[in-house]
């Protein structure tokens, strides 16, 4: 029996890993329990360990405070019980801002207080493609503005995506079925490796835990197997600071699960995750009741982005329109909007005080579509989404609050108006008297910012170009 900690020194919000040797006989996934308790002063955090195959058991921990942490293991197996030690947590390295959480009711921030403006994309099954295609996806992501990636844990069977996955999450059982009590460690090592790759790129991994597009039986495992799977996934991955939990993609198409099932599953993840990572659930048609306490933010599939402010008020949580249809040219309504329309929807969501997600579905001779497979991007929206992200990050750190149909503001110091399909040739603004403002006219498609001459105050009227899809930014001098 041997003990191996990953390091005696770990940065804040990094990963400390404890590795132990234990029994291989029977079913170690089911028969052996392992926990580790970490203490720092009065702070105590307990994490679940997991079996990683070949007689190796692990426990992972993400320290959130600098200084010396001590730990001790608890297990029903003598070989794993009572291992104790300590490590030192040091200041985070550059770029490590900690996990993302909710701030100011409807916005996000990193744990160090830095603002986080969600600009996401979707590559549902990218980790289930060839290694070469996965590496190409990572190279592409380096050149994009996206700071969150929606991705499935389980492989996906759907249009344009009918190949077998690289690995399977469970070990096979007799009769061509799966043993849902025996995980495939190789699958999960691969998954967490890709989560780590995204972490290196500064990208949040929005992990979709269930989905209905399945031919292997993973969508219909049953409550006991569902719970067992979730406990294992959380034990393995919760220590990664860039993890978000999405309980399902299009939960309402999974007819085998009731609202009570989703409430149980969401609450289970909340309970087992000691770090409180962000949690939500994504719809096809019927919205989930995002007022439930386990839900931290609203994940929406909807094409009417003018309703973002309505959903903010209804749920009182951050609103992320993860799917507002995709830029592309497939024959389905959900995947053939123009780049200009997608950029338009991003801007509508932003001035509504919410956040929007990208996806791309251009036909490909080998059916390699970004939305499912990753690879390379062909559309014109990403660079314009990058332009919007720059504007958002150059604005108020706490995010925008809607003020009227046209726009949003922050503390009477910064206003952003977007006119969409409307094309006013002039616009009158009623701003607080006594403040002096500069005004810019922004073209989101051409990615230009044209300052207007002069300084403005109180009620004033400015002339505009009189064409659609323009924005106005007003900043206090």
């Amino acid at each position: 029996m041997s003990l191996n900690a990953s390091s005696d020194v770990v940065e804040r919000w990094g990963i400390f890993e404890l590795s132990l040797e234990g029994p291989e006989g029977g079913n170690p996934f089911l028969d052996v329990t392992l926990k580790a308790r970490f203490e720092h002063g009065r702070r105590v955090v307990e994490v679940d360990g997991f079996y990683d195959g070949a007689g190796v058991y692990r426990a992972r921990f993400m320290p959130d405070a600098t200084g010396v942490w001590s730990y001790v293991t608890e297990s029903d197996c003598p070989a794993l019980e009572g291992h104790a030690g300590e490590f030192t947590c040091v200041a985070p390295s550059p770029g490590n801002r900690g996990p993302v959480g909710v701030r100011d009711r409807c916005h996000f921030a990193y744990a160090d207080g830095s603002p986080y403006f969600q600009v996401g994309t979707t590559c549902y099954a990218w980790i289930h493609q060839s290694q070469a295609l996965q590496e190409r996806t990572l190279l592409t992501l380096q050149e994009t503005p996206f700071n969150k990636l929606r991705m499935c844990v389980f492989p996906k069977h759907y249009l344009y995506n009918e190949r077998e996955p690289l690995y399977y999450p469970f070990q096979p059982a007799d009769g061509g079925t799966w043993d849902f009590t025996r995980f495939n460690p190789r699958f999960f090592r691969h998954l967490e490796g890709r989560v780590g790759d995204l972490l290196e790129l500064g990208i949040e991994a929005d992990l979709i835990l269930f989905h209905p597009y399945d031919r292997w039986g993973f969508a219909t495992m049953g409550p006991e197997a569902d719970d067992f799977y979730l406990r294992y996934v959380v034990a393995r991955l919760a220590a990664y600071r860039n993890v978000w939990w999405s309980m399902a993609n299009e939960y309402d198409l999974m007819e085998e699960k009731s609202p009570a099932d989703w409430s149980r599953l969401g609450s289970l993840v909340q309970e087992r995750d000691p770090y409180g990572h962000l949690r939500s659930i994504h719809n096809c048609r019927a919205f989930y009741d995002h007022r439930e306490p386990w839900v931290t933010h609203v994940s929406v599939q909807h094409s009417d982005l003018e309703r973002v402010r309505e959903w903010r008020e209804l749920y009182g949580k951050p609103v992320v329109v993860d799917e507002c249809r995709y830029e592309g040219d497939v024959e389905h309504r959900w995947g053939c909007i123009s780049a200009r329309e997608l950029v338009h929807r991003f801007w509508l969501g932003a001035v509504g005080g919410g956040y929007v997600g990208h996806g791309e579905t251009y036909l490909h001779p080998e059916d390699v579509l970004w939305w499912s497979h990753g690879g390379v991007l062909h559309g014109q929206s990403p660079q314009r989404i990058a332009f919007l992200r720059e504007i958002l990050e150059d604005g108020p750190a706490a995010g925008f609050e809607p003020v009227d149909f046209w726009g949003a503001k922050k503390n009477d110091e910064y206003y952003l108006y977007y006119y969409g399909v409307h094309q006013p040739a002039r616009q009158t603004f009623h701003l607080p008297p006594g403040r002096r403002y500069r005004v810019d006219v922004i073209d989101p498609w051409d990615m230009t910012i044209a300052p207007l001459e002069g300084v403005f105050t109180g009620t004033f009227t400015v002339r505009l170009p009189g064409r659609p899809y323009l924005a106005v930014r007003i900043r206090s001098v």
Side-chain angles (χ1 to χ4, degrees):
M1 181 180 63
S2 66
L3 171 68
N4 176 41
S6 58
S7 174
D8 292 331
V9 178
V10 178
E11 68 184 84
R12 189 182 186 192
W13 303 305
I15 298 176
F16 175 83
E17 182 174 291
L18 189 63
S19 177
L20 298 164
E21 291 183 8
E24 297 184 60
N27 183 350
F29 298 102
L30 195 61
D31 301 337
V32 179
T33 62
L34 172 64
K35 293 182 181 293
R37 188 174 72 252
F38 294 83
E39 297 187 12
H40 177 274
R42 294 184 178 180
R43 179 149 166 70
V44 179
V45 181
E46 191 173 84
V47 304
D48 291 327
F50 61 92
Y51 182 59
D52 198 24
V56 177
Y57 295 77
R58 305 186 192 277
R60 291 177 178 150
F61 175 62
M62 179 180 68
D64 59 3
T66 58
V68 176
W69 287 81
S70 63
Y71 61 85
V72 63
T73 63
E74 300 176 3
S75 176
D76 55 3
C77 171
L80 305 175
E81 168 71 17
H83 292 277
E86 62 181 32
F87 68 92
T88 300
C89 177
V90 298
S93 58
N96 175 359
R97 292 165 289 183
V100 175
V102 174
R103 180 170 75 177
D104 295 337
R105 181 173 172 264
C106 290
H107 297 290
F108 300 107
Y110 292 99
D112 71 352
S114 304
Y116 173 80
F117 297 96
Q118 192 275 172
V119 179
T121 189
T122 293
C123 291
Y124 284 124
W126 78 283
I127 67 166
H128 305 295
Q129 310 308 311
S130 69
Q131 293 285 6
L133 187 54
Q134 292 177 53
E135 295 300 328
R136 178 66 261 181
T137 302
L138 291 169
L139 288 173
T140 300
L141 287 169
Q142 291 182 33
E143 307 301 321
T144 71
F146 304 124
N147 57 16
K148 191 191 78 172
L149 183 71
R150 297 179 67 230
M151 52 187 281
C152 296
V153 174
F154 288 140
K156 184 178 181 181
H157 172 76
Y158 192 57
L159 299 170
Y160 316 107
N161 188 36
E162 299 181 356
R163 303 182 186 93
E164 289 299 312
L166 201 59
Y167 308 111
Y168 298 95
F170 299 98
Q171 297 180 32
D174 294 337
T177 60
W178 301 100
D179 185 344
F180 294 135
T181 69
R182 293 181 183 269
F183 300 101
N184 178 4
R186 189 177 186 185
F187 172 94
F188 287 95
R189 288 188 210 116
H190 174 67
L191 167 63
E192 66 200 18
R194 289 315 189 195
V195 171
D197 291 333
L198 296 177
L199 178 62
E200 291 296 316
L201 296 177
I203 298 173
E204 304 294 297
D206 195 355
L207 297 178
I208 298 167
L209 298 168
F210 295 98
H211 66 78
Y213 302 107
D214 169 74
R215 66 171 181 268
W216 303 276
F218 307 142
T220 54
M221 294 189 297
E224 186 174 350
D226 287 345
D227 294 1
F228 191 56
Y229 152 70
L230 287 182
R231 288 195 294 270
Y232 189 77
V233 170
V234 173
R236 288 199 75 121
L237 288 162
Y240 288 81
R241 64 179 176 269
N242 63 324
V243 160
W244 297 25
W245 307 117
S246 177
M247 293 313 303
N249 186 72
E250 298 185 335
Y251 83 95
D252 46 326
L253 299 188
M254 300 184 71
E255 298 178 354
E256 299 82 2
K257 290 181 171 55
S258 68
D261 289 324
W262 291 118
S263 184
R264 184 191 82 253
L265 295 170
S267 298
L268 174 62
V269 170
Q270 179 184 25
E271 175 191 345
R272 308 306 289 193
D273 175 5
Y275 315 107
H277 287 295
L278 292 168
R279 302 173 302 272
S280 195
I281 187 167
H282 169 272
N283 65 286
C284 179
R285 300 180 184 90
F287 278 23
Y288 191 80
D289 184 0
H290 296 285
R291 292 169 293 193
E292 288 198 16
W294 69 264
V295 178
T296 59
H297 65 285
V298 181
S299 176
V300 173
Q301 176 179 176
H302 207 285
S303 58
D304 186 356
L305 278 295
E306 292 183 354
R307 296 185 62 188
V308 166
R309 57 195 73 207
E310 170 191 330
W311 301 325
R312 279 173 42 113
E313 294 308 310
L314 175 62
Y315 297 113
K317 298 176 181 181
V319 174
V320 183
V321 186
D322 280 308
E323 186 176 343
C324 66
R325 300 188 179 175
Y326 304 129
E327 176 189 356
D329 60 3
V330 299
E331 65 270 36
H332 306 283
R333 293 182 64 196
W334 49 261
C336 57
I337 67 172
S338 68
R340 186 181 288 272
E341 178 63 22
L342 183 58
V343 172
H344 166 59
R345 294 181 184 190
F346 261 81
W347 277 80
L348 284 175
V351 297
Y355 304 90
V356 186
H358 160 275
E360 183 183 286
T361 47
Y362 284 106
L363 290 169
H364 185 277
E366 297 177 3
D367 285 347
V368 180
L369 284 67
W370 174 265
W371 134 95
S372 191
H373 306 84
V376 299
L377 286 162
H378 305 279
Q380 296 179 290
S381 64
Q383 60 183 316
R384 292 164 173 89
I385 294 169
F387 176 69
L388 172 59
R389 178 177 169 180
E390 291 175 2
I391 289 173
L392 294 177
E393 292 182 344
D394 189 44
F400 293 108
E401 301 300 320
V403 288
D404 57 27
F405 177 80
W406 299 112
K409 72 169 185 175
K410 190 62 182 179
N411 295 334
D412 294 332
E413 296 180 355
Y414 189 113
Y415 296 78
L416 186 65
Y417 295 86
Y418 175 64
Y419 297 103
V421 298
H422 306 278
Q423 50 183 13
R426 66 181 184 186
Q427 188 70 47
T428 299
F429 299 96
H430 304 277
L431 303 186
R435 283 188 180 271
R436 301 165 68 242
Y437 295 95
R438 299 281 188 185
V439 179
D440 301 315
V441 177
I442 300 173
D443 188 319
W445 184 257
D446 289 341
M447 296 178 288
T448 59
I449 300 175
L452 299 185
E453 291 187 9
V455 175
F456 303 84
T457 187
T459 296
F460 58 90
T461 300
V462 299
R463 297 196 64 81
L464 299 175
R467 64 177 189 271
Y469 305 112
L470 295 180
V472 170
R473 179 175 62 185
I474 304 175
R475 293 179 291 179
S476 178
V477 174

